[in-house]
């Protein structure tokens, strides 16, 4: 069972949310139900949850304190709100997912499933990576839920502020709330290569390498190669 904590506003009526989650995910055990107006951090410390749902309505100081505290903790955090503008202000935080009310059943299922996946790997003390080959499709958290994309269509991932820009062959760029380190855990070594601190590239999408240390990708974008990685990069792709 995964201990789950819902932090909602005092006058919020979200018992339906809890019922939906419990129906779809019986492995989640709701051990506490609190309000962000109280001392949430003490509640988190006392319960040690695996998953926290946090309602954001006014970006109050209490909510900011919980989000800041959560950045270095092992549990996963999912935000929910009735207004997109509050969630957009919080893109810099490392969050498992975002849900907009009224909450769509499919978005809820996708968001919680990925959070559970991350929790189970963490409990096994195993890095979140696929040991044989990566899945053909990966869910990328966005403001509206998740974008599911074919990994082979990813050209590259680029650090963007504290988020990640994902460039693909078949759709507009995706801005994910996860930092590039999360993508590296899943993709690096599986036809993806970290050429620079801020860049993760698909080796199958490389078009040209320039000796000054620049890679030209298939979409004609330029990606730098760290000086110390140039020889390693050339070894990663067979060449004459």
């Amino acid at each position: 069972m995964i201990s789950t904590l819902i932090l909602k506003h005092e006058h919020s009526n979200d018992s339906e949310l809890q019922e939906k989650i419990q129906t779809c995910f019986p492995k989640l055990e709701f051990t506490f139900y609190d309000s962000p107006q109280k001392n949430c951090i003490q509640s988190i410390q006392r319960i040690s949850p695996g998953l926290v749902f946090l309602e954001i309505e006014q970006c109050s100081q209490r909510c900011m304190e919980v989000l800041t505290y959560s950045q270095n903790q092992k549990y996963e955090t999912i935000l929910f709100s009735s207004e997109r503008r509050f969630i957009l202000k919080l893109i810099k935080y490392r969050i498992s997912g975002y849900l907009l009310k009224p909450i769509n059943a499919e978005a809820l299922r996708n968001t919680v499933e990925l959070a559970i996946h991350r929790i189970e790997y963490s409990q096994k003390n195993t890095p979140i990576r696929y040991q044989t080959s990566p899945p053909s499709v990966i869910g990328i958290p966005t403001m509206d839920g998740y974008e599911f994309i074919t990994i082979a269509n990813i050209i590259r991932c680029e650090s963007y502020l504290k988020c990640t820009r994902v460039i693909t062959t078949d759709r507009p760029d995706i801005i994910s709330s996860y930092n590039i380190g999360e993508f590296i855990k899943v993709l690096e070594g599986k036809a993806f290569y970290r050429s620079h601190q801020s860049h993760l590239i698909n080796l199958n999408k490389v078009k040209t390498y320039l000796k000054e240390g620049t890679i030209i990708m298939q979409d004609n974008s330029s990606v730098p190669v760290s000086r110390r990685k140039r020889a390693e990069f050339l070894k990663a792709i067979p060449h004459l």
Side-chain angles (χ1 to χ4, degrees):
M1 298 292 283
I2 298 174
S3 177
T4 303
L5 175 62
I6 293 182
L7 301 174
K8 68 180 186 66
H9 283 269
E10 186 175 3
H11 301 295
S12 177
N13 182 20
D14 275 304
S15 58
E16 183 180 357
L17 169 63
Q18 182 180 358
E19 291 172 2
K20 284 182 179 178
I21 299 172
Q22 286 179 308
T23 300
C24 296
F25 301 97
K27 66 174 63 178
L28 300 184
E29 179 182 7
F30 290 84
T31 57
F32 198 78
Y33 209 79
D34 201 2
S35 163
Q37 304 307 315
K38 301 177 182 178
N39 194 327
C40 298
I41 293 178
Q42 283 188 1
S43 300
I44 291 171
Q45 292 172 336
R46 177 165 58 86
I47 295 169
S48 297
L51 177 61
V52 172
F53 286 85
L54 176 63
E55 182 176 22
I56 301 292
E57 293 299 339
Q58 297 178 345
C59 290
S60 67
Q61 182 178 352
R62 290 289 188 189
C63 291
M64 296 302 99
E65 289 174 356
V66 173
L67 280 175
T68 300
Y69 175 79
S70 299
Q71 299 310 292
N72 297 317
Q73 304 304 312
K74 293 183 178 180
Y75 60 81
E76 299 295 321
T77 304
I78 295 175
L79 303 183
F80 64 103
S81 175
S82 60
E83 295 194 47
R84 183 189 304 269
R85 62 191 177 94
F86 294 135
I87 290 180
L88 290 175
K89 293 180 180 179
L90 306 176
I91 192 171
K92 65 180 180 178
Y93 292 96
R94 181 185 176 279
I95 302 298
S96 302
Y98 307 85
L99 297 169
L100 289 172
K101 298 191 293 184
I103 294 173
N104 175 275
E106 183 177 0
L108 173 64
R109 183 171 59 253
N110 291 338
T111 301
V112 176
E113 281 180 352
L114 185 57
I116 291 174
H117 173 77
R118 293 170 60 84
I119 291 167
E120 290 176 343
Y121 268 93
S122 176
Q123 289 175 343
K124 294 176 183 178
N125 295 317
T126 303
I128 304 175
R129 68 165 70 237
Y130 294 84
Q131 300 298 335
T132 52
S133 60
S136 59
V137 174
I138 187 172
I140 297 177
T142 66
M143 290 298 93
D144 297 317
Y146 285 85
E147 289 277 346
F148 288 88
I149 64 177
T150 302
I151 288 180
N153 291 340
I154 298 175
I155 297 174
R156 61 189 180 90
C157 301
E158 176 183 359
S159 182
Y160 177 73
L161 299 177
K162 294 186 178 181
C163 307
T164 302
R165 186 199 307 276
V166 182
I167 296 92
T168 70
T169 60
D170 60 347
R171 68 180 72 192
D173 295 355
I174 300 169
I175 302 298
S176 172
S177 57
Y178 280 13
N179 63 40
I180 198 168
E182 297 300 318
F183 288 86
I184 290 169
K185 289 178 184 178
V186 175
L187 299 174
E188 188 178 37
K190 310 298 182 183
F192 284 80
Y193 180 77
R194 191 179 191 182
S195 65
H196 184 274
Q197 182 177 0
S198 301
H199 296 273
L200 180 69
I201 64 171
N202 185 341
L203 292 174
N204 293 318
K205 304 296 183 184
V206 172
K207 186 167 99 172
T208 306
Y209 172 69
L210 304 177
K211 290 183 178 179
E212 77 242 20
T214 300
I215 299 169
I216 308 299
M217 304 299 293
Q218 285 185 3
D219 64 341
N220 292 320
S221 60
S222 299
V223 178
V225 183
S226 299
R227 184 177 297 275
R228 62 184 180 83
K229 286 195 167 188
R230 292 175 187 176
E232 181 182 84
F233 166 72
L234 290 175
K235 290 179 182 179
I237 301 183
H239 62 284
L240 297 177

